[in-house]
């Protein structure tokens, strides 16, 4: 079945060429008249104060960690999902408990305030 | 008749190249005209004219925009991380176009060199490939937000990443519900199973469709979920510092994502290229060749691919995808933007538990139906439709809790009551 992946390589190549071509075409064709004002980050017309590389809210990390847990859960469900009718009730109960365990985790995170955005 | 005519390797690669070029051109063309459609439809909704000067009905507007974007000057902040600043838009545009490769767009086409699948790549990993690649899109957005060295762009990039990964969970889980019924991850089989069931999955899996539609809106950063570029808060978010062609690359990426999401919605829930109420177009690659279905004894009935059926099914697929493209525009110009905390609450507290419960419900119903030895067909789908319909109704009423469906009415009456006036007739809030 490896043959069926060849078109994917072709379309990947076409897309890369397209992205590179777009960037290159505008790089060649556009004028460049830089001034100090143009080279300043646009922050609503204010002169930027301080640096962007600051610490930011831990909420974003929390979301990322929860995402990994539940995205992995989704992937673990796929092999069972495509064979659910052949597998029958035994695996269904097993998956049910798997989902319940993770749901309890979600409830815990919820109650601890991990999903709150103020 | 119906015998499998395999393409030789030479023809396979040649045909694949032709299909890639054709699909790529069509997607880019649709993207270009989506920008025009968006402006014309929004103008129609807001009772304006919209761009109508360049060519008849403004039809040349996308070309004029393209030329303008290529020859405009580009700016880059002096403090930007140059390499990642250039890499960002390129990374944004690639996954959007590549994902469409596994979506079948018509019934197989007979040619002198063999029968050609009307899908760029019929890979056995199908939906997994789409899930994997569409999540790469977040890299382009985060990288460009970070590399701009602009506080608003940075915040936009952060918001985008948090939002996209939040909704990816719900998206993945609603796809699991489809996999339960399909029994495979390829999209060609998804279409085939919908033909076999005799109904599109939007009926037996209505709640999964609702979840998928909401998540797809959030994944493509379209209103009402366009937090990453909320212009009232973040200028334009992650692409604030981008101008000229790099700016339009982000736009092409966004619309390409919309096209892919529409094609996916059509394939997963609306039968793909299946023509409704007609079994003549049912076709699937079975071991022995192209089949139309199975007779009572379980023997495959051979099918005959024809050019006419290919064209008709292509039309059906385009019509369905076009409907969702219009729906996207329609939603954008109808609904106001959510607040960021509301977006995250919807994703984690409503869609995720809802989708988890729904997957278990569908699986349980299917196992009960199999226990009762109901054959995979209209009755099977009908029972699932009833179960899903009740669940969807319950879900919508729970999410609404009198806020939207009865909301305006309630608020108006509340105001009347405060002013000492009697409530309007037929008010549900008064009788309770």
């Amino acid at each position: 079945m490896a043959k069926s992946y060849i078109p994917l390589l072709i379309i990947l190549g076409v897309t890369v060429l397209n992205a590179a071509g777009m960037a290159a075409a505008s790089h060649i064709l556009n004028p460049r008249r830089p001034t100090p004002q143009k080279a300043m980050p646009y922050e609503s017309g204010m002169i930027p104060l301080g640096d962007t590389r600051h610490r930011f809210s831990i909420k974003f990390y929390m979301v990322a960690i929860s995402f990994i847990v539940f995205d992995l859960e989704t992937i673990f469900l796929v092999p069972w999902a495509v064979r659910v009718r052949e597998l029958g009730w035994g695996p269904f109960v097993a998956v049910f408990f798997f989902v319940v365990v993770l749901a309890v985790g979600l409830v815990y995170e919820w109650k601890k305030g991990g999903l709150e955005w103020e | 008749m119906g015998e499998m005519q395999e393409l030789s390797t030479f023809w396979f690669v040649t045909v694949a190249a032709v299909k890639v070029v054709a699909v790529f051109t069509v997607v880019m063309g649709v993207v270009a005209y989506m920008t025009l459609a968006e402006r014309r439809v929004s103008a129609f909704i807001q009772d304006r004219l919209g761009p109508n000067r360049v060519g008849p009905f403004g039809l040349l507007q996308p070309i004029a925009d393209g030329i303008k974007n290529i020859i405009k000057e580009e700016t880059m902040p002096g403090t930007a991380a140059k390499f990642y600043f250039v890499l960002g838009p390129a990374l944004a545009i690639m996954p959007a176009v590549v994902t469409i490769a596994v979506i079948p767009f018509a019934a197989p086409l007979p040619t002198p060199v063999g029968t050609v699948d009307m899908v760029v790549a019929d890979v056995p990993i199908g939906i997994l490939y789409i899930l994997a690649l569409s999540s790469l899109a977040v890299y382009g957005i985060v990288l460009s937000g970070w590399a701009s060295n602009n506080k608003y762009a940075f915040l936009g990039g952060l918001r985008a990443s948090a939002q996209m990964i939040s909704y990816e969970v719900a998206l993945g889980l609603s796809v699991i519900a489809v996999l339960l019924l399909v029994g495979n991850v390829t999209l060609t089989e998804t279409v085939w199973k919908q033909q076999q069931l005799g109904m599109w999955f939007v009926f037996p899996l209505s709640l999964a469709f609702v979840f998928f539609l909401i998540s797809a809106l959030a994944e493509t950063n379209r209103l009402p979920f366009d937090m990453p570029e909320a212009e009232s808060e973040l200028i334009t978010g992650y692409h604030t510092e981008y101008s000229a062609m790099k700016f339009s690359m982000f736009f092409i990426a966004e619309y390409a994502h919309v096209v892919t999401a529409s094609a996916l919605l059509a394939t997963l829930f609306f039968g793909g290229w299946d023509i409704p109420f007609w079994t003549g177009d049912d076709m699937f690659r079975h071991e022995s060749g192209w089949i139309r279905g199975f007779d009572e004894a379980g023997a495959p009935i051979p099918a005959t691919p024809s050019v006419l059926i290919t064209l008709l099914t292509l039309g059906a697929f385009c019509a369905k995808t076009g409907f969702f493209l219009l729906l996207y525009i329609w939603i954008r110009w109808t609904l106001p933007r959510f607040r960021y905390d509301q977006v995250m609450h919807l994703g984690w507290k409503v869609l995720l538990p809802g989708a988890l419960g729904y997957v278990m419900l569908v699986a349980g119903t299917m196992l009960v139906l199999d226990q009762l030895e109901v054959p995979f067909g209209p009755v099977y789908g009908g029972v699932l439709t009833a179960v899903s319909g009740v669940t969807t109704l319950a879900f919508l009423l729970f999410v609404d809790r009198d806020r939207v469906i009865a909301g305006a009415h309630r608020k108006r009456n509340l105001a009347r009551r405060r002013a000492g006036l009697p409530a309007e007739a037929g008010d549900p809030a008064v009788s309770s």
Side-chain angles (χ1 to χ4, degrees):
Chain A
M1 287 304 276
K3 199 170 88 168
S4 61
Y5 290 93
I6 296 173
L8 287 186
L9 287 179
I10 301 177
I11 198 165
L12 191 66
V14 170
T15 332
V16 171
L17 276 181
N18 170 58
M22 277 182 184
S26 77
H27 188 76
I28 294 164
L29 289 172
N30 73 18
R32 252 153 298 177
R33 299 185 197 86
T35 64
Q37 281 74 29
K38 275 186 200 165
M40 202 187 282
Y42 178 74
E43 296 186 353
S44 302
M46 313 291 281
I47 292 172
L49 269 177
D51 192 54
T52 308
R53 315 271 187 257
H54 272 305
R55 303 201 294 182
F56 54 89
S57 173
I58 190 151
K59 296 286 177 200
F60 292 104
Y61 296 95
M62 302 282 293
V63 168
I65 293 169
S66 318
F67 163 72
I68 291 174
V69 172
F70 287 100
D71 208 38
L72 274 180
E73 179 188 14
T74 312
I75 293 305
F76 279 135
L77 287 181
V78 169
W80 164 75
V82 294
R83 283 286 167 268
V84 61
R85 301 179 68 195
E86 289 89 335
L87 290 172
W89 286 106
F92 174 79
V93 174
V95 166
F96 185 75
F97 278 108
F98 175 58
V99 168
V100 166
V101 167
L102 282 159
V104 168
L106 181 72
V107 170
Y108 180 73
E109 190 188 354
W110 190 335
K111 290 295 164 210
K112 277 282 180 184
L115 301 176
E116 302 301 325
W117 293 73
E118 60 281 342
Chain B
M1 288 289 254
E3 276 305 299
M4 182 99 78
Q5 275 185 292
E6 279 292 350
L7 297 171
S8 63
T9 308
F10 167 75
W11 280 110
F12 180 78
V13 175
T14 316
V15 168
V18 170
K19 281 190 289 190
V20 165
V21 172
V23 166
F24 186 80
T25 317
V26 168
V27 169
M28 282 299 158
V30 171
V31 165
Y33 279 91
M34 265 294 278
T35 62
L36 178 67
E38 176 110 44
R39 292 160 76 181
R40 294 288 293 195
V41 172
S42 69
F44 172 73
I45 289 174
Q46 299 173 341
D47 202 12
R48 297 182 282 116
L49 279 177
N52 62 354
R53 292 287 142 163
V54 192
F57 307 109
L59 281 178
L60 299 178
Q61 185 74 38
I63 298 166
D65 285 341
I67 294 171
K68 190 188 86 170
N69 273 323
I70 285 184
I71 60 176
K72 280 277 180 179
E73 178 178 2
E74 268 182 10
T75 58
M76 186 197 288
T79 47
K82 287 200 175 51
F83 176 69
Y84 297 108
F85 189 82
V86 179
L87 190 66
L91 268 184
I93 205 169
M94 274 154 49
V97 184
V98 174
T99 40
I100 208 151
V102 293
I103 298 175
F105 49 84
L109 175 76
T111 62
V113 293
T115 311
V116 177
D117 294 316
M118 283 290 110
V119 48
V120 171
D122 188 13
V123 286
I125 52 173
I127 290 168
L128 296 178
Y129 168 84
I130 290 179
L131 286 181
L133 272 176
S134 61
S135 46
L136 284 183
V138 74
Y139 280 98
I141 290 174
V142 171
L143 261 185
S144 45
W146 178 83
S148 298
N149 211 348
N150 175 324
K151 294 179 199 71
Y152 295 102
F154 180 64
L155 280 175
L158 270 183
R159 279 185 175 193
S161 60
Q163 175 190 324
M164 286 168 85
I165 61 179
S166 299
Y167 280 86
E168 209 167 298
V169 176
L171 189 89
L173 283 170
S174 54
V175 168
I176 294 281
V178 176
L179 296 185
L180 290 170
L181 266 180
V182 175
N184 203 334
V185 291
T186 63
L187 286 157
T188 39
E189 187 145 347
T190 309
V191 175
W192 167 242
K193 277 288 154 66
Q194 297 184 57
Q195 292 168 340
Q196 282 228 299
L197 191 63
M199 62 175 72
W200 296 343
F201 284 165
V202 64
F203 301 114
L205 300 173
S206 47
L207 194 55
F209 168 69
V210 173
F211 286 161
F212 192 93
L213 183 68
I214 297 174
S215 316
L217 280 168
E219 282 285 299
T220 48
N221 296 328
R222 295 276 299 183
L223 267 165
F225 299 103
D226 71 336
M227 291 306 115
E229 40 192 287
E231 65 266 22
S232 51
E233 306 158 22
L234 293 177
I235 311 180
T236 58
Y238 60 90
H239 56 64
T240 300
E241 291 298 342
Y242 285 87
S243 49
M245 200 59 203
K246 291 206 182 68
F247 168 77
S248 71
M249 278 164 86
F250 279 116
F251 256 59
I252 296 170
E254 181 181 320
Y255 284 108
H257 271 296
V258 172
V259 173
T260 312
S262 303
L264 254 184
L265 275 163
T267 308
L268 291 178
F269 296 103
F270 283 79
W273 45 260
D274 180 49
I275 299 172
F277 310 116
W278 189 44
T279 52
D281 61 330
D282 294 3
M283 228 174 278
F284 184 64
R285 182 196 283 268
H286 197 62
E287 291 124 20
S288 55
W290 295 97
I291 59 165
R292 202 151 53 77
F294 298 96
D295 56 22
E296 275 100 53
I301 310 165
T304 324
S306 82
V307 179
L308 181 69
I309 289 178
T310 304
L311 288 178
L312 286 177
T313 50
L314 181 65
F317 179 76
C318 292
K320 290 170 193 174
T321 310
F323 168 74
F324 282 109
L325 291 178
L326 271 181
L327 186 70
Y328 259 93
I329 299 177
W330 189 3
I331 288 175
R332 171 167 175 184
W333 295 98
T334 308
L335 296 179
R337 181 182 296 134
F338 283 124
R339 249 180 12 235
Y340 194 67
D341 60 326
Q342 294 172 325
V343 173
M344 299 308 273
H345 284 188
L346 180 65
W348 286 103
K349 294 183 179 174
V350 179
L351 293 191
L352 171 59
L356 273 178
Y358 185 65
V359 165
M360 298 320 288
L361 177 74
V362 172
T365 315
M366 283 174 63
L367 286 176
V368 168
L369 285 171
D370 281 345
Q371 202 96 63
L372 300 173
E373 289 174 7
V374 179
F376 193 77
V379 179
Y380 200 96
V383 174
L384 276 172
T385 306
V387 171
S388 291
V390 171
T391 322
T392 309
L393 212 63
F395 170 79
L396 290 180
L397 286 177
F398 161 71
V399 169
D400 186 56
R401 278 170 302 196
D402 278 353
R403 279 182 201 158
V404 181
I405 299 175
H409 197 61
R410 255 173 96 102
K411 274 181 200 141
R412 202 162 54 236
N413 276 315
L414 218 63
R416 285 174 72 90
R417 219 175 304 157
R418 277 208 199 99
L421 292 166
E424 280 170 42
D427 175 26
V430 173
S431 53
S432 63

